[in-house]
Amino acid sequence: MTALRLDKYLCDMGQGSRSEIKKLIRKGQVTVKGETVRDPGFQVEEGDQVTLSGQVIAYHAYEYYMLNKPAGVISASRTDLRDQRQQCVVDLIREKSRKDLFPVGRLDKDTVGLLLITNDGALAHDLLSPRKHVEKLYYAELSQPVTQEALDRLRQGVDIGDEKPTLPCRIDAPEGEEEPYGRLLIRIREGRYHQIKRMLEAVGSSVTYLKRLAMGSLVLDEELPEGGYRCLREEELQALKSAGTLDKP
Ligand code: URA
């Protein structure tokens, strides 16, 4: 953290609006390094201990959450939401400090499963960059079971009405599933609009249920119920960061 204004420090950490915080500071409710500070513009340096009403407020520039997205919620931040009456995925993260969180990529409104929510723009950019080819794993249930021949076509790439066909992808049947397949595990390295749904439509079926299970090294925690979330573990974050920096073939 580079030095930053005391009122911004507390605002970034979700302690209130800038004007509420200024009032608290002027009232003498805030200390820095054990001394009461009444100037909202006071510069807080890295490692300074800040308290508000006797409680230590630690600063973290970035937050990372793994969300098991439920159906019916839009993959957007509040500022990106066109209709403010709708619920967005960031609203589901109740204990957040930062107000600048956003989802990394989008899942359709009816798609469930893994969504990374953060304010780390550089990591998001890396994970979403088409050059990095980060693999996303989906579990899909289909209206019409598909044959092995359809799977082979999907694996090679199909025309979904875009300029180019889809890139080659990996497809497996979940354990116990036999041909014709009504359930599939699909790994894609692209992120086109409604991609999985359009791929299945290209082979004469359609998706009735779609769940994202993994994104790169990050695997959905099975303990999380739909709508549940938790902070990323340090090792999960480091694995994602190192994958994001590699250009895949
Ligand atoms: N493909 C889709 O069709 N929908 C999603 O939400 C994600 C991938």
Side-chain angles (χ1 to χ4, degrees):
M1 176 188 109
T2 49
L4 89 166
R5 286 177 61 104
L6 182 56
D7 54 357
K8 177 158 171 39
Y9 179 110
L10 289 167
C11 190
D12 281 355
M13 290 304 97
Q15 299 303 311
S17 69
R18 203 76 171 249
S19 59
E20 287 163 351
I21 286 168
K22 279 183 178 157
K23 276 188 205 145
L24 292 170
I25 295 173
R26 290 198 179 106
K27 272 202 214 155
Q29 303 245 21
V30 176
T31 68
V32 180
K33 290 191 284 181
E35 301 286 327
T36 301
V37 174
R38 291 174 192 272
D39 171 13
F42 181 89
Q43 292 290 309
V44 183
E45 306 279 343
E46 171 114 43
D48 286 356
Q49 189 186 66
V50 175
T51 71
L52 171 62
S53 309
Q55 270 210 318
V56 175
I57 310 293
Y59 192 84
H60 35 270
Y62 296 117
E63 289 186 10
Y64 304 89
Y65 297 95
M66 172 190 294
L67 169 71
N68 185 359
K69 178 192 171 297
V73 182
I74 312 254
S75 294
S77 61
R78 192 122 281 287
T79 44
D80 286 344
L81 212 55
R82 267 186 251 141
D83 178 353
Q84 287 297 316
R85 289 164 304 182
Q86 285 183 313
Q87 195 183 30
C88 67
V89 286
V90 171
D91 296 336
L92 300 175
I93 315 288
R94 288 177 304 278
E95 290 91 8
K96 57 186 175 282
S97 308
R98 309 236 22 145
K99 293 190 194 73
D100 49 359
L101 297 180
F102 58 86
V104 177
R106 286 170 193 273
L107 292 178
D108 297 336
K109 192 171 174 185
D110 58 352
T111 301
V112 300
L114 177 67
L115 200 54
L116 173 63
I117 312 277
T118 184
N119 59 329
D120 185 340
L123 178 65
H125 178 267
D126 258 8
L127 292 172
L128 298 176
S129 160
R131 278 194 319 119
K132 310 279 178 184
H133 299 289
V134 171
E135 193 170 69
K136 275 89 57 180
L137 168 62
Y138 293 90
Y139 165 77
E141 290 178 5
L142 313 183
S143 60
Q144 289 294 322
V146 291
T147 59
Q148 188 61 48
E149 186 262 325
L151 291 200
D152 289 338
R153 284 175 52 209
L154 288 168
R155 287 187 182 113
Q156 281 161 31
V158 282
D159 179 2
I160 58 170
D162 291 345
E163 223 171 89
K164 290 185 180 164
T166 54
L167 288 177
C169 67
R170 294 203 282 158
I171 307 190
D172 299 292
E175 234 180 76
E177 188 72 15
E178 288 177 9
E179 192 182 7
Y181 305 104
R183 300 181 305 140
L184 295 174
L185 290 166
I186 308 174
R187 292 174 169 83
I188 55 173
R189 292 182 178 276
E190 302 171 279
R192 302 195 206 173
Y193 183 64
H194 293 335
Q195 180 161 346
I196 301 279
K197 291 175 184 165
R198 288 158 74 208
M199 284 168 68
L200 270 302
E201 278 160 22
V203 293
S205 184
S206 64
V207 171
T208 55
Y209 175 82
L210 189 61
K211 178 173 189 172
R212 182 153 68 186
L213 302 176
M215 181 177 188
S217 57
L218 191 63
V219 178
L220 180 64
D221 187 336
E222 285 177 10
E223 304 277 296
L224 287 178
E226 278 182 21
Y229 62 91
R230 67 160 168 80
C231 289
L232 277 205
R233 302 197 173 108
E234 191 51 36
E235 62 274 16
E236 290 171 328
L237 179 58
Q238 291 317 321
L240 267 188
K241 283 187 173 174
S242 53
T245 57
L246 291 175
D247 270 15
K248 304 258 169 38

